Amino acid sequence: MNKFFPIIIIFVLTTSCKDNREPWLKEYQNTKCSWAKKEAEFKADSIQSIKKWNVDLISIKKEIEEMSKPIQSEIALLNHKINEINIKYLNESSKISEAHEQIYGHISTPEFEKKLKQNDENNNREALSLENKISVLESKLKDNKTYQELISKQNQIKERIDKTTTIVKEKYTVTFDSLKHKLDNQNSDFRMILQDLNDTEKQSFKNQREKIRVTPCK
């Protein structure tokens, strides 16, 4: 057997892998561009399909916000006051603990436990009063028939939007699955070609792929 024959085979295989770079890049670009175009088409289709529902949803949300805004503002103010109360009694708890530690260190006493418990009870009592006011305000919205009808309409529109979006997605599923299969195979081929390149060639090949990935249809 000719001793140069194995060398020739290796050379041909290596050269072949390197020569596959340009065809691979063209094929990859075609697939990525097809994906980008189909994705743009899908987004436009989705927006158009739910356009009417979005207009209705924005309108109803505005009505809901206008009706609930005064009550929500009161609730926000009460929550702020509750937070201030919690901070006040937390600071008081720290003062009680510091005063106790100066005398007894970390050893607890019945009097110390009693003071902490009383502090917690005072905290809970003040906060509970405001929490009850919040519950009353929330009940006003819950018992408001007009408000609840708007919430119901809003939920119905959201359901229609979800259903429409699902239908549009299903319309494009086969195409995207096919393109994904192509990309998976191309990425596998990319790794194989990469194995036979030197460091400079690898970086150049990676850069070319990245350029296509960013702007596939140019």
Side-chain angles (χ1 to χ4, degrees):
M1 182 178 178
N2 193 320
K3 65 180 179 179
F4 294 108
F5 188 64
I7 298 175
I8 293 173
I9 291 176
I10 294 172
F11 175 77
V12 170
L13 289 174
T14 304
T15 305
S16 176
C17 286
K18 290 184 178 181
D19 289 344
N20 281 338
R21 280 178 287 176
E22 283 303 320
W24 185 91
L25 289 168
K26 289 180 181 179
E27 185 181 351
Y28 180 70
Q29 184 172 22
N30 288 336
T31 307
K32 291 294 289 183
C33 185
S34 295
W35 184 288
K37 288 179 178 179
K38 188 55 66 174
E39 193 170 52
E41 183 182 331
F42 164 68
K43 287 179 180 178
D45 198 354
S46 297
I47 292 171
Q48 187 61 35
S49 297
I50 63 174
K51 187 176 181 179
K52 178 186 180 300
W53 302 123
N54 272 335
V55 172
D56 292 343
L57 185 62
I58 291 170
S59 177
I60 287 180
K61 279 185 175 181
K62 187 176 180 180
E63 289 185 63
I64 290 173
E65 288 173 2
E66 288 176 353
M67 186 172 291
S68 64
K69 188 174 180 180
I71 291 178
Q72 294 298 345
S73 295
E74 288 186 61
I75 290 174
L77 181 60
L78 290 169
N79 278 322
H80 179 70
K81 289 181 178 179
I82 290 172
N83 187 51
E84 288 182 331
I85 289 170
N86 290 334
I87 291 174
K88 180 181 74 173
Y89 283 102
L90 181 62
N91 290 335
E92 184 63 25
S93 177
S94 296
K95 289 178 182 179
I96 294 171
S97 296
E98 288 173 3
H100 175 79
E101 286 179 10
Q102 288 179 359
I103 300 173
Y104 298 100
H106 294 291
I107 300 173
S108 182
T109 65
E111 184 63 24
F112 171 64
E113 295 293 339
K114 182 179 178 181
K115 286 182 179 180
L116 285 181
K117 182 180 179 181
Q118 186 62 51
N119 186 67
D120 287 341
E121 289 175 351
N122 292 339
N123 186 352
N124 293 334
R125 184 175 61 254
E126 283 193 44
L128 182 60
S129 174
L130 299 182
E131 287 170 358
N132 288 337
K133 289 182 180 180
I134 290 175
S135 296
V136 171
L137 290 170
E138 289 174 339
S139 293
K140 284 185 179 181
L141 286 177
K142 185 178 179 181
D143 297 335
N144 187 307
K145 186 177 179 181
T146 302
Y147 179 81
Q148 291 304 320
E149 285 176 351
L150 288 172
I151 293 294
S152 178
K153 287 181 181 179
Q154 178 182 247
N155 291 336
Q156 288 174 8
I157 291 173
K158 286 181 177 179
E159 287 178 5
R160 287 172 180 168
I161 289 174
D162 289 340
K163 287 180 180 178
T164 303
T165 301
T166 299
I167 291 171
V168 175
K169 283 181 179 178
E170 289 174 350
K171 177 181 172 182
Y172 290 85
T173 297
V174 174
T175 301
F176 279 122
D177 285 349
S178 176
L179 289 171
K180 185 181 182 303
H181 181 68
K182 285 184 179 180
L183 285 173
D184 288 342
N185 289 336
Q186 287 166 5
N187 286 328
S188 177
D189 292 340
F190 174 82
R191 289 189 291 271
M192 289 181 66
I193 294 172
L194 213 60
Q195 291 175 359
D196 297 309
L197 303 178
N198 59 42
D199 290 343
T200 302
E201 290 170 332
K202 283 180 181 179
Q203 191 57 53
S204 175
F205 194 35
K206 288 179 181 179
N207 291 343
Q208 287 175 295
R209 182 186 66 164
E210 180 62 17
K211 186 178 179 180
I212 291 172
R213 189 190 67 79
V214 176
T215 53
C217 296
K218 282 190 177 182

